[in-house]
Structures are given as C-alpha cells and as structure tokens.
C-alpha cells in the first residue's frame, strides 16, 4: 500500500479497495519501523492520524468525495498545528505547542487529509542539507551516508522512503526543489502569494512560500489544489482565482518554447548532471517543445544578494524569540539582559546565530545602504532578467542543483560551500516566480533533478510539462533500495 501515489490512493478510497484508517495504520506502522534509520519525522501523530482517518472514512460513507479526502500526508515542522509541537527543528521551540493551525494545515484538513506527523527540517529552515536540526540530521534514503537536501529534508526523505505519499514543505531559496532533486521527487514552489503564509513560522518573509513535495506532478497538482488560494490573514496573499491544476496536466506540449539559460550550464555544474538535463530536453523536444538558448545575465549576483536579504529578514523575524514570549528560557537568569542573551544563545543553533548576526549587521545604520539596499537593487535586476526572458519563452529549464547529494558532514566546516548549492534555485525566490523540480535520472545511484521555471501564476504550466515528461520517463517511479 505504501507504494501508492496520492492519485492512486484517491481511486482506491473511492472504489472502497481500502479505508483511510487501514491505509493510515499501515503507514504509521511503516514509519515506526523504518524511520529510526532516516530520522525524517520530529513528531509522529498517531492519535490525530487515526481520528482524522476515521472522520474521513465517515465523510466518504456519508457521500462526500474529493481527491484528498482520507489522504495521509505529513507537514514540515514549521507549519503551526494546534496542540501539537511545532518546533522548527530548534531547541528554541522544542516545547512549543501552537495554539492554532496554519492556513495550509486547516485548508488541507478541511479537504480531508490525514496528518501522520511533523517532518524534520533544518533549524528555522536555514540550510541545504538538513544537518542543522536540533533533532539530528536526516539521512537520504537513496544512500544513508548522504544528505537528503534541505531545508525540507524530512518531508523529502519521508516521501522518497514511501513513508508518506506526499508532504508539505516550504521554499525560501530552494528548500522544496533542492531536496526534491536530491531524493528523486517532484516538488513545486508556487508563485509568491499563491499559498498563505499565515501560521508558517517565518524565516525570510519576502521569500518564503509553501508548496507540495510528492513523487509525481499529478500528486503535486492535487496537493497544491488543497493549499492554494487567497487568505485575508496573510497580507501578501494574492486574490487570484485558483485554476484546476489537474485539468491542465495533459495539455499538449506542441510548440512549447523552452529557454535554456546559458548561465545555468557554465562552470560549477557537474558535467554528469548537465548530460541528464540535456537528455530531459531531448524528451521534451520529442513531445513537441522547441528549445532556445537564453541569458539571465544577473544570475551571478543572486547568492550574494540572497545571503544579505534572507539573513536580514531572519534577524528581524527571529527577534520575537526572546525567552519571554515563546519557547526556550534559560535557567536562573540574573537580569533581563542575561535572560535574553542566554535564552537566545542556548536556544538557537550555530547556523541560526550566524544568520542573525549577518542580518543584524547588514541592517545596521551605516551599512544598510551598502548591503541591504544594494541587494534589493540586484533583486530587481534579477526579476527584470526573467521578465525579458519570458517574452521569448514559456518555461525556463536547467539543473536544479550543481552537484549530487553530498556526504553528511562534508560541508560542515564551510557554510559558504553549502550556500553555493542554491545557485540555480534562489533566483526564483528573489523574483517571486514559481519553480518545479522533477526527477531526471541518476549518477552513481544518486538522484538528479531538472528545474522548470514559469511566469507568475503559471504553476499549471509547470505541472503540465512535468506530467507529460513523466508519461514518457520512469525516473519518478523508482524507489530507493529496501523501500
Ligand atoms: N538553503 C537556503 C538557505 O539556507 C534556502 C533555504 C530555504 O529555502 N528554506 O537559506
């Protein structure tokens, strides 16, 4: 049963082949049996899952239908879940039980999903390897010695290991697409504002966006359908109608114009990945797409700009964790300053402290113009590059990551080496554009992903291209050994 996709589960439930409770119990047993080796969950919510599954079965028995009614999923542990620990993988929030559900969580619950647990992640979503979690690193099911990518590494590893058919995740600089690539999944970062950020613990508010991680584009369409939509509680949520993402999956790719940015294929890209990306382009050409080279000339400035903007916003967002209002408080503070200092010093891990310091520095008087303002200007240039490119092409295609999943620990002494892994994903966040990563092959038995980018609100086009590609390839159907 654990091999079923969300779409297959929907059919099985509709045809009464199994109940949501049976499926939920089977997956929970699998999580308890296999997850100790992977560490993809921070909390497994057995009781909640069983009660939600029973409720979904009752709704179905009463005549309700719906693709997500009774579908088991997991939530990245930065979505607030009422009465359930929401830790952000930080000691700071180890004891935090959210008083309400995030909009993503409540919308999916209304659609009938069943929450099996909260998935592991990099602390406060800062990272590309899922090594900075207070609860320990997540292992890549394709090879336990390697990272699954981050920061949504727990969601990715759980879905890749067939512990869950799909999970929610978030992407500030690549945290849905990069782990999708490194674990052979399909992951979609929607347009900024497409999915509500309300109840999602903020990292960098102008970049954060939630989306689905699943094995197929078809499943991403189903999950996104349940997540997307206007939310008055999020001031950056956009009031645009949500299209039927499943309806456009099979649209023809005849004449689709694909742009290959020359900057995506330069130095730094593993040539074996480049080869697989070119092979995916060939497949899409066979389906009728036409390919042309394009240029995104300001891409080289994206990482420096991002690593000013994201830490700047993080330093502001994380100032609320002061030992007074939320989470961890140090023992026996002697005065208020000591309370702040030690609560934050003991509650946050090294990478989070590094980002807070970088961000506070970039925002400080005297440096604001030199760093933050400059970074915002680069952001505009990057957006302009994309707008110019999308005059000529319908989607942009390239590698999701420059390298394969690296060995756990390999980049621990060099944070910048890890930052550079985001080189192809970060631009979409800076511009607010939707992006998708889909499985495109293996090198040394480790997965490789191809990234597709589209104009604002064209998530449907990304899912369509990925779905058609998945009709003629089988990379997305392969499971890691033993799973
Ligand atoms: N790796 C990037 C960072 O560390 C992106 C993380 C994310 O998308 N949440 O900031």
């Amino acid at each position: 049963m654990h091999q079923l996709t969300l779409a297959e589960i929907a059919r099985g439930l509709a045809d009464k082949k199994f109940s949501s409770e049976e499926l939920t119990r089977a997956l929970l047993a699998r999580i308890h049996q296999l997850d100790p080796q992977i560490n993809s969950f921070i909390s497994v919510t057995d009781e909640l899952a069983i009660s939600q599954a029973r409720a979904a079965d009752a709704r179905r028995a009463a005549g309700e239908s719906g693709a997500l009614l009774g579908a088991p999923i997991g939530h990245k542990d930065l979505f607030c879940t009422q009465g359930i620990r929401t830790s952000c993988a930080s000691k700071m929030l180890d004891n935090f039980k959210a008083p309400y559900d995030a909009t993503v969580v409540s919308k999916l619950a209304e659609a009938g999903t069943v929450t099996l647990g909260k998935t592991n992640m990099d602390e406060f979503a800062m990272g590309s390897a899922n090594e900075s979690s207070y609860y320990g690193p997540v292992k890549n099911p394709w090879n336990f010695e390697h990272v699954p990518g981050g920061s949504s590494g727990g969601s990715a590893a759980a879905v890749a290991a067939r512990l869950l058919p799909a999970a929610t995740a978030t992407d500030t600089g690549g945290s849905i697409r990069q782990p999708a690539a490194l674990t052979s999944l399909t992951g979609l970062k929607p347009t900024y504002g497409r999915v509500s950020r309300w109840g999602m613990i903020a990292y960098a508010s102008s970049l954060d966006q939630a989306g689905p991680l699943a094995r197929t584009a078809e499943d991403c369409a189903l999950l996104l359908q349940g997540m997307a939509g206007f939310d008055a509680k999020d001031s950056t949520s956009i009031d645009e109608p949500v299209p039927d993402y499943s309806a456009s999956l099979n649209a023809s790719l005849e004449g689709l114009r694909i742009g290959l940015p020359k900057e995506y294929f330069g130095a730094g890209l593993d040539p074996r990945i480049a080869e697989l990306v070119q092979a995916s382009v060939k497949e899409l050409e066979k389906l009728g797409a036409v390919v042309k080279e394009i240029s995104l000339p300001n891409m080289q400035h994206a990482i420096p700009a991002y690593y000013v903007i994201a830490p700047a916003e993080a330093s502001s967002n994380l100032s609320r964790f002061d030992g007074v209002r939320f989470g961890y408080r140090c023992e026996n503070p002697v005065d208020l300053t000591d309370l702040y200092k030690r609560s934050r010093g003991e509650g946050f891990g090294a990478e989070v402290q590094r980002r807070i310091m970088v961000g506070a520095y970039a925002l400080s008087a005297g440096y604001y113009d030199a760093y933050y303002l400059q970074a915002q200007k680069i952001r505009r240039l990057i957006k302009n590059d994309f707008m110019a490119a999308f005059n000529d092409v319908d989607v942009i295609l390239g590698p999701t990551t420059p390298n394969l999943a690296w060995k756990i620990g390999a980049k621990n002494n060099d944070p910048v080496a890890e930052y550079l892994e985001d080189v192809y994903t970060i631009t979409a966040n800076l511009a607010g554009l939707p992006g998708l990563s889909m499985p495109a092959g293996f090198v040394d038995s480790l997965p490789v992903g191809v990234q597709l980018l589209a104009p604002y609100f064209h998530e449907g086009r990304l899912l369509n291209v990925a779905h058609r590609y998945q009709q003629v390839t089988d990379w997305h159907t392969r499971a890691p050994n033993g799973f």
Side-chain angles (χ1 to χ4, degrees), residues 125-128 151 171-175 203 306-307 355 422:
M126 298 172 186
S128 311
S151 63
D171 190 312
T172 304
S175 285
Y203 162 18
Y306 174 90
Y307 279 99
R355 306 266 180 128
D422 303 328

Side-chain angles (χ1 to χ4, degrees), residues 76 78 122 124-129 150-152 170-178 203 207-208 306-307 310-311 351 355 418-419 421-422 425-426 429:
K76 185 175 181 178
L78 54 54
D122 276 301
F124 282 99
M126 298 172 186
S128 311
S151 63
S152 312
T170 61
D171 190 312
T172 304
S175 285
I176 293 177
R177 292 160 288 158
Q178 187 254 15
Y203 162 18
L207 302 161
D208 297 342
Y306 174 90
Y307 279 99
E351 183 60 25
R355 306 266 180 128
E418 191 171 322
Y419 299 168
E421 293 296 323
D422 303 328
T425 48
I426 262 176
N429 302 78

Side-chain angles (χ1 to χ4, degrees), residues 404-421:
L404 302 170
W406 56 94
K407 282 209 164 153
I408 293 176
K411 294 185 199 277
N412 281 1
N413 296 325
D414 189 356
V416 175
E418 191 171 322
Y419 299 168
L420 292 174
E421 293 296 323

Side-chain angles (χ1 to χ4, degrees), residues 25 39 66 70 77 89 95 128 173 178 221 232 279 294 308 352 375 399 411 431 434 464:
R25 286 188 187 278
N39 200 26
D77 204 18
N95 64 3
S128 311
Q178 187 254 15
I294 59 164
V308 170
V352 174
K411 294 185 199 277
N464 166 219

